[in-house]
Amino acid sequence: MSLINQMLQDLETRRAIDEQAGLPNDVRSLPITRTSVAPKILLGGVALAVLASGAYWWAQVRSSVDQYPGPMPQVITHPQVVAPRSSPVASANIPAPVQMPKEERSRANSAPIDASVRQTPSISSAIPEATRGQFSGLKSATVHPPLPQTPVLPITGAEAMSTSAVSPLPSPAVTKSNPDPVVINKQVRLATANDKAENEYRKAMTVLNQGQVDEAISGLRAALREDATHSNARQALAGLFIEQRRLEEAQGVLQEGLAQNSAQPNMAIKLAHIQVERGDIKGANETLQQSAVAGTNNAEYRAFSAGVSQRLGDHPAAINEYQAALRLAPYANIWWMGLGISLDADGKKAEARDAFQKARAGGALSPDLDQFVEQKLRQLQ
């Protein structure tokens, strides 16, 4: 406005001067001044900017049409979102654009451009409203329609953030490799013969505690059928036979066990007891001799062996066995009495009297045995 006002003031000034000079009142062109050039330059620059932006827009539209010749689809059903630079998208599998003949390309270029192509949709229009906030960091993106016979690219980068904006096909890029399966080597331990025998033995002891003797005997026999070397089952079975006075069966069970393994002092003592009771003193001594090495540190075994030797009249052997037993159990009064008997029979009166005195010192003898020892002491005075 200031420029126009200045021009009007100049015109008024020149009119006033012309009137004073007596010049004719006609219109004359004003001389070109430097101030009249600026508006023209400004208007020209604006026009050039508008033309340049229009040409750029037209060039973008023409390049989009040249890249995808032929009729464009009206509806875009599965848009593909181009990932930002920070998220690399695999492009090795994208095939080259199909080259068309020059005549068909010119006809395609001259065809009217559909409105869906003129307006290039942005990423906000391709993504549903519920997931637009996930892509707020993306400035712009180009949505291309799928080409025929073109493989679908894997979902990578920002596309994997929304399953509703992209095709639900699985992506090899996000496929997780299954770890190596853990192999558990289960080795089933088969029950051995001893395990089965032990099981039968436990069941037999259970029913025996309930007073079922016959069932217990059957269970113990079953245990020995599973494993004939099961010592506890054999001795328990022999003990039940002895209680029932089935001495012959008990003796057979014990002899069979010692034939398999003679190093069983307790089994040898039971068998020797049966043999002594049945009057087979010599057989009892032979039984004890077979297990002598195994019974070296067994006080009961040595004392029983001494008693068998004493019945056989072998007093030196009896003295040796009694002394060995008393070294292992020095407070066994009845063994001191047995040692005194063998010492007296072997002519060792003083030692016999000392042994009898130790037998009475403990006070553990029965009245009959205590009376017998007192009588022996009177004889040895």
Side-chain angles (χ1 to χ4, degrees):
M1 293 298 292
S2 61
L3 181 59
I4 296 174
N5 292 333
Q6 185 177 1
M7 292 175 63
L8 293 176
Q9 290 177 4
D10 290 342
L11 290 174
E12 293 294 332
T13 303
R14 290 183 64 83
R15 182 181 295 178
I17 294 173
D18 291 341
E19 289 178 356
Q20 293 177 3
L23 296 176
N25 189 15
D26 55 356
V27 179
R28 297 180 181 180
S29 61
L30 295 177
I32 299 173
T33 60
R34 183 173 300 177
T35 58
S36 63
V37 178
K40 296 179 180 180
I41 295 175
L42 180 61
L43 293 175
V46 173
L48 288 175
V50 173
L51 292 174
S53 61
Y56 177 77
W57 176 81
W58 179 254
Q60 293 294 325
V61 173
R62 290 301 296 257
S63 63
S64 176
V65 174
D66 290 340
Q67 185 175 1
Y68 299 98
M72 306 299 288
Q74 296 296 328
V75 181
I76 300 175
T77 58
H78 297 284
Q80 180 178 352
V81 182
V82 178
R85 292 181 181 180
S86 59
S87 301
V89 181
S91 59
N93 296 329
I94 300 177
V98 180
Q99 299 295 331
M100 298 181 62
K102 188 174 183 180
E103 294 79 2
E104 295 182 8
R105 188 182 304 175
S106 62
R107 287 197 303 270
N109 293 339
S110 62
I113 302 175
D114 188 78
S116 62
V117 179
R118 289 181 182 274
Q119 298 179 358
T120 304
S122 63
I123 190 171
S124 61
S125 64
I127 301 176
E129 179 108 9
T131 57
R132 288 182 187 177
Q134 301 177 2
F135 299 93
S136 59
L138 302 178
K139 295 183 179 179
S140 64
T142 303
V143 181
H144 301 291
L147 297 176
Q149 298 181 355
T150 302
V152 180
L153 294 179
I155 302 173
T156 57
E159 295 174 335
M161 297 172 61
S162 175
T163 57
S164 60
V166 293
S167 175
L169 294 177
S171 171
V174 297
T175 301
K176 296 182 180 180
S177 60
N178 294 327
D180 294 336
V182 179
V183 179
I184 301 176
N185 187 13
K186 294 183 178 180
Q187 295 182 353
V188 179
R189 180 180 176 272
L190 298 178
T192 62
N194 185 265
D195 295 334
K196 296 178 181 179
E198 182 68 19
N199 186 37
E200 294 293 339
Y201 169 74
R202 292 180 181 277
K203 291 191 296 184
M205 292 296 100
T206 300
V207 297
L208 180 62
N209 292 332
Q210 297 173 358
Q212 303 176 15
V213 179
D214 293 338
E215 288 78 1
I217 292 175
S218 299
L220 293 172
R221 288 185 182 276
L224 293 177
R225 284 194 298 268
E226 295 292 345
D227 183 8
T229 63
H230 198 285
S231 176
N232 291 335
R234 187 172 295 277
Q235 292 190 57
L237 180 60
L240 291 177
F241 286 149
I242 293 172
E243 289 180 1
Q244 294 182 346
R245 304 305 299 171
R246 298 161 63 176
L247 300 181
E248 186 174 355
E249 294 180 70
Q251 184 174 342
V253 170
L254 295 172
Q255 286 177 341
E256 182 180 355
L258 289 173
Q260 296 171 357
N261 181 16
S262 61
Q264 301 183 77
N266 293 330
M267 192 177 296
I269 291 174
K270 288 184 178 181
L271 177 57
H273 267 294
I274 295 174
Q275 291 172 325
V276 169
E277 188 171 353
R278 299 185 70 187
D280 187 8
I281 307 299
K282 186 177 180 181
N285 186 62
E286 292 178 354
T287 298
L288 294 173
Q289 293 300 320
Q290 292 176 0
S291 303
V293 176
T296 300
N297 297 321
N298 189 322
E300 184 180 357
Y301 181 89
R302 302 297 294 266
F304 192 79
S305 178
V308 171
S309 298
Q310 189 178 76
R311 289 198 178 190
L312 290 174
D314 189 357
H315 292 287
I319 293 172
N320 183 56
E321 292 297 316
Y322 273 127
Q323 289 176 343
L326 288 169
R327 283 194 295 268
L328 295 172
Y331 301 103
N333 299 77
I334 194 169
W335 294 349
W336 282 110
M337 185 189 70
L339 176 60
I341 292 173
S342 292
L343 289 171
D344 184 25
D346 197 36
K348 300 178 180 178
K349 306 296 183 181
E351 296 179 10
R353 187 171 53 250
D354 183 62
F356 284 130
Q357 289 176 351
K358 288 182 179 179
R360 295 194 68 189
L365 296 175
S366 64
D368 294 338
L369 292 179
D370 185 72
Q371 185 178 1
F372 172 77
V373 171
E374 182 180 4
Q375 183 179 358
K376 284 288 184 183
L377 286 173
R378 285 198 297 269
Q379 293 175 358
L380 295 173
Q381 287 179 354

